[in-house]
Amino acid sequence: MKVDMTNVSENTMNISDLIYKYMRIEHLPHIWCPGCGNGIILRAVAQAMENMKLERNKTVLVSGIGCSSRAAGYLDCNSIHTTHGRAIAYATGIKMAHPDYEVIVITGDGDASAIGGNHLIHAARRNIGLTVIVMNNNIYGMTGGQYSPTTPHREFGTTAPYGNIDQPFDIAKLAMGAGATFAARSTVYHAPQLAGIIEKGIRHKGFSVIDVTSICPTYYGRKNKKGSAVDMMRWQKENSIPVEKAKDMPEEELEGKLVVGVLRDKEAVEYSEEYSRLVDAVQGGIK
Amino acid sequence: MAKTVLMQGNEACVEGALAAGMRFYAGYPITPSTEIAEVSALRLPQVGGKFIQMEDEIASIACAIGASVSGVKSMTATSGPGFSLKQENLGYACLAEIPLVVVDVQRSGPSTGLPTSPSQGDVMMAKWGTHGDHPMIAIAPSSVKECYELAIRCFNLSEKYRTPVLFLMDEIIGHLREGIEIPDKVEIVNRPTVVNPHPKRPAYAPTDDLIPAMAPFGKGQRYNITGLLHDESGFPTNDTEIAGALVTRLMKKIDNNYDDIVQVEETLMDDAKVAVFCFGGTARAAKSAVETARAKGIKCGMFRPITIWPFAEKELAKAMKGVKKIIVAEHNYGQLVNEVRRVVGPEKRIEFIGKVDGTVITPDEILAKIEEA
Amino acid sequence: MAKMEIRLAGSGGQGIILATVILAEAAIIAGKHTAQSQSYGPEARGGACKAEVIVSDTEIGFTKVQTPTFLMALTQKSLDKYSKNLPKDCLVLIDEGLSVPQNLDGYKVIKLPILSTAAEKVGRLMTANIVAVAAINGLLKLVDDESLKTAVFMHIPKGTEALNEKALNEGFKLIENGGNQ
């Protein structure tokens, strides 16, 4: 599948205007470490909102716990920083109550696929209209560098001092396996495309997951000798393969690479609207 | 006049909730509370509300909180094991000051316990189950009629004080069918809110009554909610003064309204020398025992806290002044009995009847203790 | 009418719980007080199960049956299990196919062909609980027959009214014809 960028307006607003318009500047600067990739994703979310001219009063940002979770509060919308792993469950209640609201979940790899894994797969199964943006830095950053469900095999964390013997999740594939109707992967290196992909995810009617490979030079990078933030971004540049190119490549060649772009985009009945139709039918006497 | 209908306790709880304005329910099947989910699934769409069966107990309460922040009165129900799982998010609703009703139809524990047998073993968990200091309101019904009426009260208190309220039912009452009259009109309280708010109005702006007024999500007041200790803007703070003031305010907003929240039932207590302290389903056995004892000429009464938390210490202390012997009957190994002891002091004679085998405390067992020298 | 404490026993699937719900519903219709409860869990899915209903002219305190005034059992297993320690004046109704256990010596035990009436005269064994509530009401005079019929109709699937009315009438007849004591 090709990433269609025709309807996506890139960088139409300069960065400081974007920040002043969409962020709660009184709460900036953000808490993330120097070199962290999360700020790039935050900005991409703001850019997507600007591109779509989203109505902020009807937009709800929902987050869980971890480094990623602070993103929700920085955006000048309705924001709720919930409990660890449960952002998608809270978001489900908000979307059910108000199918007309745009509900965006910002989560992390541990939040979404470890403690919150059950909610991720079930929201995907229901195809409820949430946009889930995963700030995937392959580590538990907030607690100081423990291995997460996306830490690669044999890499290190403070709780994997001899190397990680777990096999990692591919969060985009996990969501697709559970029925997500929109799934994409991007990286913080691909910042301009990222805003477009997020926009597509928000526009998609149904459950969208955008697995964004972030960078954590402070913990993941240092523990695994990945070099500086710039080195880690360079790695992303050199090891990302657009999905349309990856289609024709043998699996061995894709080993250890990031296949970026929209991995799935299909139409299906959205859950909260389906329930609203059910309510109408019951009230109309149609059983 | 309203017609009397036969209804099960769990069903009456849902009907009361609907009368109070519940329009969202998220739940997960668990005995003996499942009928609450089933009836909600059937009834909510009929009144334009919504029901969702979530993937687990934690998701259920989280989802219900999500609907509530969007301005929809929400409820979730569970039993023992599920109530354990919900604790973290219950604390979240306390701190974030989000109205919510959580029903716990208690069953025998610990762990999976005796799923279909009655218990009152979650009484202390109701107050202390989630970590940290927070206020808690819990209410226990002892008839199907009260399942209806007190479900409404749970919603009203939850809305009024912007705090989760626990409806501490038990299997005895949840599965009991009795006749009840459904009133044509009930009193409904809605949460403090702000109309046409400034977008930057702080969500937790100070108020005289210590209860914050905020618009629901989507009404133009763009604020932040967090489970971290926060300042009035709803943003996390590490300022110890602000943090301490927040927790203190949360406690005080309930403490200051003790008289509004606490309800008790006193039966034949005026001249009583012997008193039976009980709550929830156990009160039915106690009432029968007290009637029999009175018929035998024993000056005996019953004291029943309807509000379990905050504990009815003022009323209890007053009622027990002339009492020589208190019989505390509860379906657990001894939970509220310790609160009774704390209130009446070490000198007062207390006899405890507790059951942890899944059987029901009978009037005869209580009567035997009443008659004991 | 004094307070009636009624216990029905049988095996899961016989509609024992529904029978007590119908009796409770009939009591409400007739303006009486009632409390109905049942044993839940694996018991309700086969094996011996019981359900209880109290019918009284005055308010009911304790909601469980403490001193049964009436027991009906439709299976041997449930009869053996739930007929122990009954008060001496408890009336016992059993299906005619059952044998009376020794612990019921000296009790008034009535045998009625409830299951065979449902299977043969009504034509559906599953109507045994409706035959039973009619017979019980005939014996105990809990409510007027019309209240019972209304209660039955509130708790049966639409389209089965004729079948259940037949079951009720056959149940009434069992008493009118005199039980085999």
Side-chain angles (χ1 to χ4, degrees), chain C residues 9 15 34 51 87 95 114 121 123 152:
Chain C
T34 186
D95 189 70
I114 293 167
K121 293 211 171 131
V152 168

Side-chain angles (χ1 to χ4, degrees), chain A residues 41-227:
Chain A
I41 305 170
L42 177 64
R43 183 194 163 275
V45 175
Q47 183 69 57
M49 290 173 65
E50 167 64 16
N51 293 352
M52 296 177 68
K53 305 279 182 254
L54 268 192
E55 194 188 339
R56 284 178 295 170
N57 285 343
K58 302 285 182 200
T59 301
V60 184
L61 272 295
V62 188
S63 64
I65 294 293
C67 297
S68 64
S69 72
R70 297 307 184 93
Y74 295 132
L75 291 162
D76 185 12
C77 300
N78 306 278
S79 59
I80 176 164
H81 175 212
T82 71
T83 49
H84 198 16
R86 318 302 169 199
I88 291 173
Y90 277 78
T92 297
I94 297 165
K95 187 71 182 176
M96 282 291 281
H98 290 285
D100 58 320
Y101 290 5
E102 211 53 81
V103 184
I104 300 167
V105 174
I106 301 182
T107 175
D109 39 313
D111 197 48
S113 73
I115 190 166
N118 202 25
H119 314 308
L120 175 75
I121 58 175
H122 285 276
R125 172 177 67 81
R126 291 186 190 104
N127 195 37
I128 187 159
L130 311 176
T131 305
V132 176
I133 299 161
V134 186
M135 294 180 163
N136 185 349
N137 59 6
N138 313 99
I139 203 91
Y140 285 93
M142 188 67 94
T143 46
Q146 298 73 36
Y147 72 96
S148 86
T150 65
T151 303
H153 190 58
R154 301 239 178 270
E155 294 209 332
F156 295 88
T158 59
T159 47
Y162 308 111
N164 177 24
I165 65 165
D166 287 21
Q167 296 296 333
F169 265 145
D170 178 326
I171 292 175
K173 276 190 184 166
L174 175 66
M176 284 192 284
T181 49
F182 182 98
R185 186 180 352 265
S186 190
T187 80
V188 290
Y189 170 77
H190 296 84
Q193 291 98 322
L194 177 58
I197 284 180
I198 290 172
E199 183 183 338
K200 278 173 177 294
I202 296 171
R203 285 190 192 278
H204 175 75
K205 230 177 173 40
F207 187 75
S208 313
V209 78
I210 302 150
D211 182 3
V212 189
T213 307
S214 188
I215 54 168
C216 174
T218 303
Y219 291 112
Y220 177 73
R222 199 182 294 165
K223 272 272 166 202
N224 292 288
K225 303 191 166 50
K226 301 289 184 190

Side-chain angles (χ1 to χ4, degrees), chain C residues 134-179:
Chain C
I136 292 166
N137 197 48
L139 282 172
L140 303 181
K141 306 280 179 243
L142 295 169
V143 298
D144 57 288
D145 289 351
E146 202 50 41
S147 293
L148 183 66
K149 186 177 159 186
T150 308
V152 168
F153 278 28
M154 284 169 73
H155 290 275
I156 54 167
K158 275 210 166 58
T160 65
E161 287 83 359
L163 181 74
N164 282 291
E165 188 160 10
K166 194 172 171 194
L168 267 179
N169 291 333
E170 291 297 335
F172 292 140
K173 272 193 232 165
L174 287 180
I175 302 304
E176 286 158 16
N177 301 342

Side-chain angles (χ1 to χ4, degrees), chain A residues 23-27 56-58 60-61 70 72-74 76-84 86 88-99 101 115 118-120 122-123 125-126 128 271-272 275-276 278-280 282-283 287, chain B residues 24 40-42 44-56 58-72 88-89 92-93 98 199-200 216-228 231 233 235-236:
Chain A
M23 295 187 195
R24 290 166 167 149
I25 51 160
E26 66 275 26
H27 295 289
R56 284 178 295 170
N57 285 343
K58 302 285 182 200
V60 184
L61 272 295
R70 297 307 184 93
Y74 295 132
D76 185 12
C77 300
N78 306 278
S79 59
I80 176 164
H81 175 212
T82 71
T83 49
H84 198 16
R86 318 302 169 199
I88 291 173
Y90 277 78
T92 297
I94 297 165
K95 187 71 182 176
M96 282 291 281
H98 290 285
Y101 290 5
I115 190 166
N118 202 25
H119 314 308
L120 175 75
H122 285 276
R125 172 177 67 81
R126 291 186 190 104
I128 187 159
Y271 189 85
S272 63
Y275 197 93
S276 296
L278 180 151
V279 171
D280 291 343
V282 170
Q283 291 194 315
K287 292 284 155 67
Chain B
F24 189 81
S40 294
L42 180 74
L44 273 166
Q46 294 173 354
V47 297
K50 289 164 184 179
F51 166 91
I52 188 168
Q53 182 169 308
M54 292 299 282
E55 52 273 16
D56 59 40
I58 300 171
S60 302
I61 184 169
C63 191
I65 296 172
S68 185
V69 296
S70 313
V72 180
E88 183 198 6
N89 287 282
Y92 183 92
I98 300 165
K200 293 274 184 190
F217 272 2
K219 301 294 177 200
Q221 184 188 4
R222 296 192 299 269
Y223 56 88
N224 187 57
I225 298 173
T226 179
L228 288 162
D231 60 21
S233 77
F235 270 79

Side-chain angles (χ1 to χ4, degrees), chain C residues 9-28:
Chain C
S11 70
Q14 283 185 320
I16 292 297
I17 292 174
L18 181 61
T20 56
V21 172
I22 287 169
L23 290 175
E25 191 77 69
I28 294 291

